[in-house]
Amino acid sequence: MSPRSAPSAAARHLSANRAELVRELAEWLRVPSVAGAPEHEIDVLRSVNWLRGTLSEIGFPTVEMWSANAVHAEWCAAPGAPTVLVYSHHDVRAAKDGTWEQTAAFEPVLREGRLYGRGASDAKGQVLAHLWGLRTHLAVTGRAAPAVTVKVLVEGEEETGSASLSDLLDEHGVTADLVVFSDTLLWHAEHPAVCLGLRGLVLAQIEVYGPRTDIHSGAVSGPAPNSAVALAGLLARLHDDKGRITLPGFYDDVTEPTEQTRAELAALPYSDEDWLERSHTRSIGGEEGFTVLERLWARPAAEVISLESGTDTGPSRGAIPAVATATISIRTAAGQRAEKVAEQVRRWVADALDDRVDHQLTVGSPTDQEPYRTPRDHPAVAALAEAMEAGFGRPVGRMGNAGGGPAELLARKTGAPVIFFGTGLPEDNWHDGDESVSIDVLLAGAATLAELWPRLALLDESTK
């Protein structure tokens, strides 16, 4: 482990305000801004208004609601400096009470340096790091306004696919010189790394139909088609014995990781034991010929994320199920496009599914979630690395993000490159019970962002 350098002025300022940062995040986490839930529409609006008020309090002269769930703010007081768009989201996933042991999902509690609550890490904590990064930037520099033109766009539909984001960007003609995307993970609290890209996402839902109705197994067992067995057989063919995805032509467009990328990932501290503990997984699998970190960040993946058939609650009805359903999540890698992968899924299902059953397939990207890679030679990458080194007090590596998001959409619509900075960790339990965030990491993240703004202000005009 590399020794820490002396805390920067930004880090010292944030340390002095630690309690206030925790108080503010806990206040926001009590608002259950659950995405896509009609009963929580008013809570999403309350979350929007909380953020609007906080942005105004920080000093943003323009703060607007762009929809019932999206907030935009703008602070233009640095003529000639780059314009930076900060993107994140404030909506959260629904919570199952039975999976939360530390506290109820929307009753945040601080324990052993971690704040527990839905949204603490994904992604209200990441938004709060930006808010405190700006406050700290102004405090330690004595400036009345940021060193760059800052635009903030925080939406409330990311967890359900960002359905309105493209239209919002078009309607308001959003432009920027750089996008800072904050909905990603760090590799390790003690080993920060600059994220250089994320994977895309294609979702496929398949319904398989066996008997015309659920039917007594003793009456027809043997000759009757079984929807659950047919679906299980299909899913069993999703990967071959080397861990490769079997969709026809699936790897044709995948960009192989460069030797530089493989060397950077190999330089990150890794052990199977540490990964299994922090990821809460039982074993390691995946595509042969690639390391765990390469499988996570440089290669595609396919997972079954839901599976349902037969009696789901109460005593068994002893019937062969008429319907079996599954949802497959495909994380696409650099070079792949959602439209082509969707067609590969359709061909695979048509070829591999037992012809004694019928089916219905719905496949596609929830919205423009293509893979994205930051141009590694862009000066903003070096600026971010320097800011992270100052904020965390440690040397930084290079990494990727295993999940997806609308980064490619933001780059395409704004005409600007995207850099990534998040404060999540694999052990933060995104989308699960007992989601939490490390306050030390949030402070280091906010210090990083405070250090980033003056560095971005120095970027040469030709790089904007």
Side-chain angles (χ1 to χ4, degrees):
M1 184 184 300
S2 301
R4 288 187 184 275
S5 58
S8 64
R12 294 194 299 273
H13 176 84
L14 283 156
S15 180
N17 287 276
R18 181 188 184 101
E20 179 61 16
L21 181 149
V22 171
R23 183 206 63 77
E24 194 170 59
L25 180 55
E27 178 181 270
W28 198 11
L29 296 183
R30 292 188 184 97
V31 183
S33 50
V34 178
E39 67 272 23
H40 286 292
E41 284 183 4
I42 191 66
D43 296 311
V44 172
L45 182 58
R46 289 184 182 120
S47 181
V48 165
N49 284 325
W50 186 96
L51 182 56
R52 286 175 63 197
T54 305
L55 288 165
S56 296
E57 177 270 325
I58 289 171
F60 278 86
T62 302
V63 183
E64 303 171 313
M65 283 181 64
W66 274 7
S67 71
N69 61 65
V71 181
H72 178 264
E74 192 165 334
W75 200 339
C76 303
T83 295
V84 182
L85 172 66
V86 174
Y87 165 85
S88 193
H89 68 93
H90 68 98
D91 58 313
V92 301
R93 288 280 180 167
K96 293 183 179 180
D97 288 340
T99 64
W100 289 75
E101 298 179 357
Q102 294 290 336
T103 184
F106 299 105
E107 297 176 10
V109 63
L110 182 67
R111 292 203 175 107
E112 297 181 347
R114 283 189 162 269
L115 186 64
Y116 289 84
R118 175 61 88 224
S121 183
D122 180 24
K124 288 178 178 176
Q126 305 202 35
V127 177
L128 201 79
H130 274 284
L131 302 183
W132 277 92
L134 276 168
R135 285 179 172 133
T136 302
H137 166 56
L138 300 177
V140 301
T141 62
R143 297 180 60 93
V148 298
T149 292
V150 178
K151 298 179 180 180
V152 175
L153 178 56
V154 181
E155 63 155 318
E157 292 182 328
E158 192 278 338
E159 296 291 6
T160 55
S162 302
S164 303
L165 181 58
S166 180
D167 289 342
L168 285 176
L169 295 170
D170 288 340
E171 178 184 348
H172 295 279
V174 179
T175 59
D177 298 308
L178 182 71
V179 177
V180 179
F181 186 104
S182 286
D183 185 20
T184 54
L185 296 172
L186 290 167
W187 169 234
H188 197 289
E190 303 296 334
H191 305 283
V194 175
C195 177
L196 291 175
L198 45 67
R199 297 191 287 192
L201 176 63
V202 174
L203 290 175
Q205 184 174 56
I206 182 168
E207 291 189 349
V208 175
Y209 310 114
R212 296 190 183 278
T213 64
D214 289 359
I215 190 164
H216 189 291
S217 62
V220 299
S221 181
N226 189 305
S227 61
V229 171
L231 179 57
L234 176 72
L235 298 177
R237 298 183 182 94
L238 184 56
H239 299 89
D240 65 17
D241 60 0
K242 298 185 184 302
R244 286 173 64 86
I245 298 162
T246 59
L247 307 187
F250 183 74
Y251 291 94
D252 291 353
D253 298 324
V254 174
T255 302
E256 295 291 322
T258 65
E259 289 304 313
Q260 181 179 5
T261 295
R262 300 188 83 162
E264 288 171 344
L265 300 187
L268 293 172
Y270 172 86
S271 72
D272 288 349
E273 294 77 15
D274 175 71
W275 168 248
L276 290 171
E277 180 181 356
R278 294 198 299 127
S279 65
H280 308 301
T281 50
R282 195 180 301 276
S283 61
I284 294 172
E287 186 182 1
E288 289 185 8
F290 297 91
T291 68
V292 169
L293 300 188
E294 290 166 357
R295 293 171 197 170
L296 279 172
W297 301 330
R299 301 297 290 173
E303 303 288 352
V304 178
I305 59 173
S306 72
L307 185 61
E308 183 177 351
S309 185
T311 307
D312 56 351
T313 59
S316 170
R317 292 184 292 118
I320 295 173
V323 182
T325 65
T327 302
I328 300 172
S329 168
I330 300 173
R331 299 292 180 173
T332 53
Q336 293 182 295
R337 302 296 292 181
E339 183 178 5
K340 188 170 182 179
V341 171
E343 182 56 34
Q344 292 165 352
V345 173
R346 295 185 188 99
R347 297 205 321 266
W348 173 72
V349 170
D351 292 343
L353 188 63
D354 189 328
D355 60 9
R356 297 178 61 231
V357 296
D358 201 354
H359 75 278
Q360 180 174 322
L361 176 67
T362 304
V363 59
S365 174
T367 179
D368 296 298
Q369 290 201 18
E370 303 284 6
Y372 182 83
R373 291 291 179 268
T374 302
R376 65 168 54 245
D377 59 349
H378 194 281
V381 174
L384 177 57
E386 291 176 2
M388 288 182 71
E389 192 159 330
F392 282 83
R394 297 186 184 281
V396 299
R398 299 292 185 270
M399 63 177 291
N401 192 72
E408 187 274 339
L409 173 68
L410 288 161
R412 177 162 35 91
K413 294 290 186 177
T414 64
V418 177
I419 61 173
F420 300 92
F421 180 71
T423 54
L425 293 167
E427 58 265 37
D428 287 356
N429 282 16
W430 288 18
H431 298 190
D432 197 2
D434 288 336
E435 179 183 347
S436 67
V437 68
S438 163
I439 301 304
D440 286 343
V441 170
L442 270 189
L443 292 171
T448 293
L449 294 164
E451 298 281 353
L452 180 62
W453 302 121
R455 287 172 168 80
L456 293 181
L458 297 176
L459 294 186
D460 186 82
E461 182 74 23
S462 64
T463 68
K464 295 184 345 184

